[in-house]
């Protein structure tokens, strides 16, 4: 069942890539397991999933311990990270999609330096400016990037956003387009530890639109694990 839904999601990713003249193999499917248990996550991995997304450190720990020994799995933190969880996060996640403050950047840097690793991060941008959303406001993005430039254990690899909830996926398009434009406008910051190539955007309800607007990481949970596809 998970297998069939995964196939269907992969087909839709492929179709969206073709439609926008892109190579579907450049698009990473981050399978979001936050609402399922170890068994379902394991089933997805056996069906070929290589990238797992969790929105909380706590929720990821048991799955990591049970499943990481299979090897070849990349772990993504997609939800808000509290500073006091940075230590755990750095030990668990290959990529943190939710950097949203200077203070958090400093803490991730400190923890990554302690264990001698380079931590891949994306900056979460609150493109839609919803009050209830995490993420950096677009006008503060440049300052944060300038600070990250001096943090030698951080590898800044791009931007992430969440569109406001909407019935119609087309409503997400302007937000995704804005994130791509922001990314493009920041490419002059690229240096040793900054390479703004990833755009993490698109979820079950709007990933095709996101791909059309340039997403190369889509975070999909319910389309894989819930109901009829
Ligand atoms: C839950 C979640 C997703 C996946 O949402 P679905 O609608 O289940 O695909 C993607 N991104 C973030 C940040 C999430 O919290």
């Amino acid at each position: 069942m998970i297998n069939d839904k995964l196939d269907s999601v992969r087909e839709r990713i492929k179709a969206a890539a073709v439609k926008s003249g892109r190579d579907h193999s450049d698009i990473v499917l981050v399978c979001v397991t936050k609402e399922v248990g170890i068994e379902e996550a394991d089933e997805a991995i056996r069906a070929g999933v290589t990238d797992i997304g969790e929105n909380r450190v706590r929720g990821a720990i048991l799955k990591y311990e049970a499943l990481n020994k299979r090897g070849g799995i990349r772990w993504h933190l997609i939800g808000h990270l509290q500073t006091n969880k940075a230590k755990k996060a750095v030990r668990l996640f290959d990529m943190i999609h939710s950097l949203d403050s200077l203070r958090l950047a400093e803490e991730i840097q400190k923890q990554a330096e302690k264990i001698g690793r380079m931590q891949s991060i994306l900056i979460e941008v609150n493109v839609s400016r919803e009050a209830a959303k995490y993420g950096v406001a677009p006008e503060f993005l440049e300052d944060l990037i300038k600070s990250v430039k001096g943090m030698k254990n951080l590898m800044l690899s791009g931007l992430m956003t969440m569109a406001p909830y909407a019935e119609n996926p087309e409503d997400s398009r302007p937000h995704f387009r804005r994130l791509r434009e922001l990314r493009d406008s920041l490419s002059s910051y690229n240096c040793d530890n900054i390479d703004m190539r990833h755009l993490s955007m698109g979820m079950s309800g709007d990933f095709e639109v996101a791909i059309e607007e340039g997403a190369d990481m889509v975070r999909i949970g319910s389309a894989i694990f819930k109901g009829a596809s």
Side-chain angles (χ1 to χ4, degrees):
M1 170 127 133
I2 287 175
N3 225 326
D4 292 345
K5 293 217 196 94
L6 255 174
D7 279 345
S8 145
V9 165
R10 288 189 183 114
E11 283 308 315
R12 289 168 62 191
I13 290 174
K14 222 177 255 184
V18 167
K19 188 175 169 191
S20 44
R22 302 180 50 209
D23 187 341
H24 70 89
S25 62
D26 293 338
I27 297 163
V28 177
L29 165 59
V30 177
C31 177
V32 177
T33 53
K34 69 183 182 201
E35 285 179 357
V36 300
I38 291 171
E39 217 161 286
E40 287 110 315
D42 190 27
E43 199 176 332
I45 290 166
R46 279 185 278 119
V49 160
T50 52
D51 291 77
I52 294 282
E54 280 281 331
N55 64 337
R56 292 188 181 171
V57 175
R58 185 197 280 277
I61 291 175
L62 285 178
K63 289 189 189 96
Y64 182 91
E65 285 170 353
L67 302 171
N68 193 52
K69 52 181 175 283
R70 291 180 171 281
I73 304 168
R74 287 179 294 271
W75 298 82
H76 301 257
L77 180 65
I78 60 172
H80 178 66
L81 176 60
Q82 287 170 277
T83 318
N84 62 1
K85 302 261 171 59
K87 180 177 176 180
K88 274 251 158 63
V90 163
R91 283 161 173 77
L92 233 66
F93 293 102
D94 297 289
M95 183 176 272
I96 295 172
H97 293 226
S98 49
L99 179 69
D100 59 4
S101 73
L102 175 58
R103 201 169 138 248
L104 180 59
E106 289 169 342
E107 189 60 24
I108 296 172
Q109 161 61 31
K110 183 175 132 194
Q111 297 299 339
E113 187 174 10
K114 262 193 205 164
I115 58 171
R117 68 165 294 189
M118 193 74 176
Q119 178 66 56
S120 287
I121 51 167
L122 306 177
I123 297 178
E124 179 172 1
V125 188
N126 187 358
V127 177
S128 59
R129 299 176 185 279
E130 284 177 287
K133 273 229 166 78
Y134 290 109
V136 178
E139 63 271 26
F140 298 127
L141 196 48
E142 258 186 282
D143 281 345
L144 184 54
I145 292 172
K146 283 178 193 159
S147 304
V148 166
K149 197 167 179 160
M151 299 184 190
K152 61 182 194 323
N153 294 79
L154 299 189
M155 179 69 219
L156 174 58
S157 309
L159 303 177
M160 179 273 229
T161 200
M162 272 173 99
Y165 176 79
E167 284 291 328
N168 182 355
E170 282 301 324
D171 293 348
S172 301
R173 190 182 294 277
H175 305 291
F176 295 153
R177 183 169 295 169
R178 182 80 188 110
L179 195 73
R180 170 165 49 88
E181 289 167 354
L182 277 170
R183 188 274 310 270
D184 293 347
S185 74
L186 296 164
S187 57
S188 58
Y189 285 100
N190 285 352
C191 61
D192 279 354
N193 73 327
I194 299 180
D195 176 5
M196 301 290 280
R197 68 205 151 96
H198 291 306
L199 286 175
S200 168
M201 54 189 197
M203 318 194 332
S204 292
D206 55 17
F207 67 87
E208 285 137 316
V209 169
I211 290 168
E212 287 168 28
E213 292 301 329
D216 70 345
M217 302 186 120
V218 288
R219 312 177 308 266
I220 301 178
S222 47
I224 297 168
F225 295 112
K226 270 202 192 132
S229 56

